[in-house]
Amino acid sequence: MAFSSSCSSVKAVNSRWASPSPSPSSRFAVIPAFLHRRYATSVKLTATSAALKTVEQTTLTENNKFSTVGSDSDEYNPTLPKPRILVAEKLGEAGVLLLREFGDVDCSYDLSPEDLKKKVAESDALIVRSGTKVTREVFEAAKGRLKVVGRAGVGIDNVDLQAATEHGCLVVNAPTANTVAAAEHGIALLASMARNVAQADASIKAGKWERSKYVGVSLVGKTLAVMGFGKVGTEVARRAKGLGMNVISHDPYAPADRARALGVDLVSFDQAISTADFVSLHMPLTPATKKVFNDETFSKMKKGVRLINVARGGVIDEDALVRALDAGIVAQAALDVFCEEPPSKDSKLIQHENVTVTPHLGASTKEAQEGVAIEIAEAVAGALRGELSATAVNAPMVDPEVLSELTPYIVLAEKLGRLAVQLASGGKGVQSIRVVYRSARNRDDLDTRLLRAMITKGIIEPISDSYVNLVNADFIAKQKGLRISEERMVVDSSPEYPVDSIQVQILNVESNFAGAVSDSGDISIEGKVKYGVPHLTCVGSFGVDVSLEGNLILCRQVDQPGMIGQVGNILGEQNVNVNFMSVGRTVLRKQAIMAIGVDEEPEDKTLEKIGGVSAIEEFVFLKL
Ligand SMILES: NC(=O)c1ccc[n+]([C@@H]2O[C@H](COP(=O)([O-])OP(=O)(O)OC[C@H]3O[C@@H](n4cnc5c(N)ncnc54)[C@H](O)[C@@H]3O)[C@@H](O)[C@H]2O)c1
Ligand SMILES: O=C(O)[C@H](O)COP(=O)(O)O
């Protein structure tokens, strides 16, 4: 089939073909050294669906004091020295037993940073919860011995992932076993806050009997805003419905039908916080959610609102919360997590009489800890045996040859995913993605899993705290209710290159940039690799040609002379360097799209000026 594109004509204005090919995100592309060694001797990877199957047993040397086994059917070889596993925080007994069957387990809790460094130098695996900081210094001190870090829980903000990857250390976590525990703790805080349980308990223990002081508020009929409708948020909503509450939720990326099925309306951020009597936080800590609860947002809340946080302390500006409590905007807060853990003893927030606190207990039930312990023990033992883990967060396992050929396409795929998700808006949520690969290669001679993983990574990472890689991409996509369908079209170009173009479509969503919506009504963008550099070649129905470096401004305007100059001048005045510009149009002198690659992030006022140009109908700034 000959190559066909839905895009219209394009005129490139500036060219940087000679730019060096950008390297892929190092977190993804750096293959842990021990995996390299293992695969280097044992695995023949092909570009077929068998690409990730290991076929032989391998004995490791150097830092690997025991053998690892590649095939699913092979057993761990008990004649070789057992791996040493350091458990640095309390882990459920079932998990410890499982680990003992497999290795020498050292349970040493409350280690000082110095002692931790000494111990990791003699350990093949380390298991922690949120209380141990696994820093770069820890990986350096391990001198290559540490092969796996297991986080017995969800958040891996206490593990330096970049350092782990650089030191060839796999990081795995246990993302699902504590969901219900966290939700139950949220509900416990909600109910005990509403009825002043903690304060009344302290009062009575101090010898008082203050019945009128601790009159509470009822939950039934009140509105609860669940901020973040993921695993924990969904379970909180389900339980709050059972308490007779009216539940609304804000989550720009959650599927509306999943919420509707629970009788929950997905609403805008402002609508959620301004109408709720109770606000419960369940979003991840990301650059977009950091301190999202601040003076401005508190001022929009209903006077007397009650706040619960079992997510991450960093989503709240804690000083602003104290001000909101003092002003009576927030009547009460119940907090399980803090910006700094443990928080300082004399923190105004902790000491506030209308605040109830728990020391990060969300996951701390016997059942959750047993579940998490088993989940992490299996993941760590599996990783030490060399198996793929569905909860690995930093390790691709790809033949270096395949990786090297695909490198520029990997960058392209991630950037297309990242761009596409930023073009989505509205309450329906990103649910269905369609990817079309145009390639001259035979269908079975192109393994697209790495590309699909990178598109998934590009789509998910800007909107969550999940780390996506080849190993966990499908797992995370499924967890988030994201359906990714792939199509391959054979085109008449050179089979020397694995892919001619990649098209990413987000189906059934609204866009914040109407120009990105194709004739089929879906958000659609397409890109190619040209001379090793990823390029955006199509936006909606408009052909463009802009190298995907730095950041991007897309403008839709009336096709008329002088537009490039006007916008270029505005950016130039603000010292924003344009690295690439391209204009594509459908019909002469009607509508056109201008794609402008910029090195810096323009200030708001600069973007406002661009929006003020009369011929510009809409524009959007996108981070690559
Ligand atoms: N206190 C504890 O002990 C404890 C236990 C488990 C989880 N957690 C924390 O709870 C949080 C949620 O965990 P989860 O397992 O449900 O994660 P999840 O990834 O399943 O859900 C997070 C949800 O937040 C949404 N989201 C992303 N950005 C958002 C934004 N700007 N506004 C609103 N929603 C947004 C995502 O779309 C997703 O649906 C995480 O921060 C996790 O670390 C804490
Ligand atoms: O991220 C998590 O899983 C929770 O915050 C629980 O942390 P914990 O394992 O330290 O209790």
Side-chain angles (χ1 to χ4, degrees):
M1 183 192 304
F3 170 72
S4 71
S5 170
S6 52
C7 290
S8 59
S9 64
V10 51
K11 39 182 179 176
V13 174
N14 181 15
S15 162
R16 291 263 171 109
W17 300 135
S19 323
S21 171
S23 61
S25 146
S26 50
R27 197 169 65 220
F28 192 94
V30 178
I31 300 176
F34 81 97
L35 298 176
H36 260 313
R37 278 199 296 278
R38 173 172 167 263
Y39 283 115
T41 55
S42 72
V43 182
K44 171 102 180 73
L45 290 176
T46 66
T48 69
S49 61
L52 292 174
K53 290 269 185 216
T54 55
V55 290
E56 293 168 25
Q57 178 171 326
T58 312
T59 301
L60 298 183
T61 52
E62 300 164 14
N63 297 320
N64 299 281
K65 305 258 169 61
F66 56 97
S67 76
T68 62
V69 181
S71 104
D72 291 348
S73 56
D74 286 337
E75 290 299 317
Y76 168 67
N77 184 344
T79 61
L80 288 156
K82 281 182 160 189
R84 279 182 63 84
I85 301 166
L86 172 62
V87 180
E89 285 183 73
K90 185 101 182 75
L91 191 70
E93 198 48 38
V96 177
L97 286 176
L98 242 160
L99 291 170
R100 287 215 162 102
E101 282 173 19
F102 177 73
D104 286 332
V105 181
D106 170 7
C107 292
S108 295
Y109 310 142
D110 299 323
L111 291 171
S112 67
E114 280 316 306
D115 287 342
L116 177 65
K117 284 197 252 174
K118 276 186 207 143
K119 290 234 175 221
V120 291
E122 295 160 6
S123 305
D124 301 292
L126 166 68
I127 295 183
V128 297
R129 286 177 62 186
S130 61
T132 306
K133 295 213 173 348
V134 191
T135 58
R136 178 170 290 278
E137 290 77 52
V138 172
F139 290 106
E140 281 165 0
K143 297 196 174 74
R145 168 89 189 248
L146 197 60
K147 296 178 210 59
V148 187
V149 171
R151 161 63 171 108
V154 187
I156 36 165
D157 33 325
N158 53 324
V159 180
D160 186 333
L161 277 184
Q162 183 62 37
T165 305
E166 285 173 23
H167 287 80
C169 183
L170 186 71
V171 180
V172 290
N173 71 348
T176 54
N178 65 24
T179 297
V180 166
E184 286 180 349
H185 196 61
I187 294 291
L189 290 179
L190 168 82
S192 57
M193 172 173 63
R195 301 306 293 270
N196 303 303
V197 173
Q199 289 87 345
D201 174 74
S203 152
I204 204 164
K205 282 178 176 147
K208 300 178 194 164
W209 187 255
E210 301 178 294
R211 295 185 67 214
S212 56
K213 183 171 178 186
Y214 294 120
V215 172
V217 290
S218 188
L219 299 180
V220 70
K222 297 284 165 52
T223 297
L224 169 71
V226 172
M227 309 301 284
F229 202 68
K231 294 187 292 294
V232 180
T234 304
E235 294 306 322
V236 165
R238 199 191 301 282
R239 283 157 180 75
K241 291 292 279 185
L243 294 170
M245 299 186 84
N246 166 37
V247 183
I248 55 175
S249 177
H250 170 68
D251 186 329
Y253 317 108
D257 55 355
R258 189 156 57 80
R260 219 175 299 119
L262 282 183
V264 174
D265 280 336
L266 284 183
V267 297
S268 69
F269 182 89
D270 281 0
Q271 202 182 336
I273 62 167
S274 62
T275 51
D277 304 296
F278 293 82
V279 177
S280 192
L281 312 187
H282 303 288
M283 65 252 278
L285 179 60
T286 66
T289 62
K290 191 170 179 200
K291 295 196 178 174
V292 70
F293 296 93
N294 51 40
D295 287 314
E296 192 195 334
T297 45
F298 284 131
S299 72
K300 292 180 183 167
M301 291 187 181
K302 215 167 161 178
K303 198 165 164 59
V305 67
R306 287 174 167 78
L307 187 72
I308 303 108
N309 188 9
V310 290
R312 280 293 180 266
V315 301
I316 295 179
D317 176 342
E318 292 181 342
D319 294 335
L321 176 55
V322 172
R323 287 189 285 275
L325 283 157
D326 288 342
I329 299 172
V330 176
Q332 289 180 301
L335 311 171
D336 184 47
V337 283
F338 307 91
C339 289
E340 200 186 305
E341 293 185 2
S344 87
K345 237 169 50 187
D346 48 9
S347 146
K348 276 191 185 159
L349 182 63
I350 307 297
Q351 298 302 337
H352 203 286
E353 62 168 344
N354 295 334
V355 174
T356 311
V357 287
T358 49
H360 202 147
L361 289 183
S364 295
T365 61
K366 278 186 182 174
E367 295 81 357
Q369 283 312 307
E370 284 300 293
V372 163
I374 293 170
E375 201 177 344
I376 205 62
E378 283 174 348
V380 167
L384 286 171
R385 278 195 294 260
E387 291 164 9
L388 287 175
S389 166
T391 64
V393 289
N394 71 334
M397 298 188 188
V398 184
D399 179 14
E401 265 177 41
V402 175
L403 188 65
S404 127
E405 183 184 47
L406 283 180
T407 292
Y409 302 91
I410 287 169
V411 181
L412 174 67
E414 181 177 357
K415 291 195 171 181
L416 288 175
R418 197 169 277 275
L419 287 183
V421 77
Q422 291 178 71
L423 289 166
S425 70
K428 281 206 226 156
V430 174
Q431 229 180 332
S432 296
I433 312 290
R434 180 168 170 261
V435 183
V436 181
Y437 308 97
R438 292 185 172 85
S439 165
R441 290 201 180 164
N442 287 335
R443 273 163 202 279
D444 55 359
D445 197 15
L446 173 67
D447 186 350
T448 58
R449 280 177 303 168
L450 190 51
L451 300 172
R452 186 181 67 223
M454 292 308 278
I455 292 167
T456 307
K457 178 180 165 74
I459 289 171
I460 289 177
E461 284 195 347
I463 61 174
S464 85
D465 59 2
S466 305
Y467 294 89
V468 183
N469 61 28
L470 176 62
V471 180
N472 65 10
D474 289 344
F475 175 77
I476 290 185
K478 196 172 162 201
Q479 247 188 359
K480 302 215 173 271
L482 205 66
R483 279 194 305 274
I484 303 185
S485 67
E486 293 179 292
E487 276 175 40
R488 284 185 236 179
M489 291 173 70
V490 180
V491 292
D492 199 9
S493 61
S494 168
E496 189 193 332
Y497 303 108
V499 183
D500 187 84
S501 71
I502 304 175
Q503 183 181 16
V504 176
Q505 295 180 315
I506 304 186
L507 314 183
N508 307 320
V509 284
E510 285 161 28
S511 177
N512 49 18
F513 186 72
V517 176
S518 67
D519 295 342
S520 62
D522 306 309
I523 292 173
S524 176
I525 55 173
E526 188 177 303
K528 292 184 176 205
V529 171
K530 296 186 176 182
Y531 300 96
V533 180
H535 277 234
L536 179 69
T537 53
C538 190
V539 174
S541 310
F542 296 87
V544 293
D545 190 345
V546 60
S547 96
L548 290 171
E549 297 168 289
N551 298 306
L552 189 66
I553 300 170
L554 292 177
C555 302
R556 185 168 55 93
Q557 79 253 1
V558 179
D559 185 31
Q560 62 182 42
M563 294 305 298
I564 291 172
Q566 274 191 61
V567 176
N569 276 344
I570 295 172
L571 291 167
E573 275 164 20
Q574 306 296 324
N575 206 20
V576 175
N577 197 37
V578 172
N579 62 40
F580 219 100
M581 232 183 199
S582 144
V583 179
R585 66 191 171 205
T586 42
V587 182
L588 184 68
R589 296 270 171 166
K590 281 215 154 160
Q591 267 194 344
I593 277 192
M594 182 157 50
I596 308 158
V598 287
D599 291 334
E600 294 82 17
E601 183 171 341
E603 291 176 20
D604 287 351
K605 63 177 185 203
T606 312
L607 293 172
E608 273 163 28
K609 274 193 188 172
I610 294 175
V613 175
S614 58
I616 290 182
E617 291 165 352
E618 58 167 351
F619 78 100
V620 66
F621 172 71
L622 305 166
K623 288 188 184 179
L624 291 174

